[in-house]
Amino acid sequence: MASQIIRSVAVEEMLHMIMVCNVMNAVSIQPSVNRPQNYPTYPMKLPMNVDFFVGLETFSSNSIATFIAIESPSSPLVKAPKYTPEIETSALLSRSSVQKNNFWTLENMKDFMMKNVHTIGEYYDVLFFYIVVFQIIAYYKEHGTFPQNFEELNRGGIFTGDPAKQIRPEQYYGSGGKLHPVDALEGVILVFQEIKGQGEGADDSIFDVDPSQFEEGAELAHYFRFKEVFHEHFYVGGDYRPFTDENGMMPVTTPPVGKPLPVDWSAAYPMKPNPKMSDYQSNPALFEQGKAFNATYKKIIGCNSGSCRRKC
């Protein structure tokens, strides 16, 4: 079950990357995930105001704790699941404030984010704010007036990208979530709602925006799925009344206390932490396997970003 949870998150993270690239392509910014200067070097510190390092390592409580930290919600409170012990848990689970800045430049955007953004959700909130600002500026330059309604703000402006570079729903299949192409501001809203909801929950809930495509019940957001693995318990079916306030809200840090979720922490293959190709130069067979893996992964990333025309 733990492997299924991790796989479900990995698939949805690829969906997130596709949709972010759709946003970039929509505003004529070429995704650059396959450029050597953008390759990560592990262990690495994530951008923004994070105080931990991310490495490449085998499945462990430490790696799951890192994933939990990455997916931490912006809000400190979340609605506690209703206490319904008679419901079979496995059936249910199978399935900031922005400061005013009078000089909008790319450098100011980067500086503000680096100093004030602490979670992925906050990052997307601020990014959406800037997209709206630049869309308003583009509208004003073209019409000499400010947009008076959403329809005027929605289309045109900065959305000048080639529609052929959009990855569309018929080109994607995953275990959950929806793929949204982007040709206007409305598409950006749908993309960011999907990403934030899948990562940290929607509407102050521990659950995802959408039910599973398999229609087997609502899915937890990534943060809470990783918490289940780490604590080896499900959320649904647990009694959270001791943790809740008068409004039924509990801290997001509340551990799951539902049905046990057995985790075999020794089941994954061992691996060298933060491996590099240079580590395997003395073993030609492993070195060639590493090269083949890197080449295949590079092709997948390129297709997901819309930077090639192949259908992988």
Side-chain angles (χ1 to χ4, degrees):
M1 187 62 186
S3 62
Q4 295 174 6
I5 291 174
I6 294 171
R7 183 186 183 280
S8 71
V9 174
V11 170
E12 289 175 4
E13 291 298 341
M14 292 299 97
L15 171 64
H16 297 178
M17 193 198 78
I18 293 171
M19 292 195 294
V20 167
C21 290
N22 275 353
V23 172
M24 296 177 67
N25 282 317
V27 296
S28 297
I29 298 177
Q30 175 66 46
S32 56
V33 292
N34 273 341
R35 294 180 183 177
Q37 62 267 34
N38 292 331
Y39 294 164
T41 301
Y42 297 101
M44 63 177 291
K45 194 170 185 179
L46 294 180
M48 312 305 166
N49 297 286
V50 296
D51 57 359
F52 60 89
F53 284 83
V54 175
L56 291 179
E57 57 183 290
T58 191
F59 171 69
S60 66
S61 58
N62 182 70
S63 60
I64 294 298
T66 300
F67 299 155
I68 291 172
I70 292 173
E71 297 282 8
S72 295
S74 305
S75 174
L77 296 175
V78 67
K79 296 175 184 175
K82 293 182 179 180
Y83 181 46
T84 51
E86 70 279 3
I87 295 179
E88 176 59 35
T89 303
S90 60
L92 285 173
L93 292 180
S94 60
R95 293 256 287 132
S96 85
S97 173
V98 179
Q99 298 174 351
K100 183 177 181 181
N101 187 331
N102 293 320
F103 303 97
W104 300 113
T105 67
L106 293 177
E107 192 59 36
N108 282 342
M109 290 169 58
K110 179 179 178 181
D111 182 66
F112 177 86
M113 289 183 177
M114 295 298 293
K115 292 179 179 178
N116 296 279
V117 175
H118 299 82
T119 71
I120 294 175
E122 290 177 353
Y123 172 82
Y124 283 110
D125 287 341
V126 175
L127 186 59
F128 179 72
F129 173 78
Y130 283 126
I131 289 175
V132 171
V133 167
F134 284 117
Q135 181 70 345
I136 292 174
I137 292 173
Y139 185 93
Y140 184 83
K141 286 182 177 179
E142 180 178 355
H143 300 279
T145 60
F146 290 107
Q148 300 300 306
N149 52 58
F150 181 77
E151 289 304 316
E152 292 181 352
L153 182 64
N154 187 30
R155 298 191 175 276
I158 63 175
F159 295 98
T160 59
D162 181 0
K165 291 185 176 182
Q166 293 291 308
I167 306 297
R168 301 185 182 277
E170 59 270 20
Q171 298 170 274
Y172 171 84
Y173 175 77
S175 61
K178 296 179 181 178
L179 172 59
H180 300 286
V182 178
D183 59 5
L185 186 61
E186 182 178 14
V188 178
I189 294 173
L190 293 174
V191 164
F192 288 0
Q193 284 180 337
E194 189 80 18
I195 294 175
K196 287 186 60 180
Q198 286 190 338
E200 60 184 61
D203 299 325
D204 295 324
S205 167
I206 68 172
F207 294 100
D208 195 349
V209 176
D210 299 308
S212 165
Q213 284 186 343
F214 299 119
E215 298 181 354
E216 294 178 348
E219 290 186 338
L220 297 179
H222 296 178
Y223 173 83
F224 300 99
R225 287 186 227 176
F226 287 135
K227 294 266 286 186
E228 287 186 324
V229 175
F230 185 85
H231 293 283
E232 301 187 42
H233 280 82
F234 291 106
Y235 270 98
V236 176
D239 185 0
Y240 301 94
R241 289 173 294 182
F243 305 97
T244 59
D245 59 20
E246 63 277 8
N247 298 315
M249 305 293 286
M250 69 179 187
V252 294
T253 54
T254 303
V257 294
K259 182 180 178 180
L261 168 60
V263 178
D264 184 355
W265 296 102
S266 64
Y269 288 112
M271 63 169 281
K272 175 183 176 63
N274 306 306
K276 297 176 176 59
M277 288 296 298
S278 58
D279 297 333
Y280 304 99
Q281 288 181 332
S282 61
N283 189 320
L286 290 179
F287 188 79
E288 289 303 315
Q289 289 177 11
K291 285 177 58 178
F293 172 86
N294 287 342
T296 301
Y297 187 72
K298 183 178 180 180
K299 289 180 181 179
I300 293 173
I301 296 298
C303 288
N304 280 353
S305 68
S307 58
C308 74
R309 300 298 179 87
R310 291 179 55 200
K311 289 187 178 180
C312 296

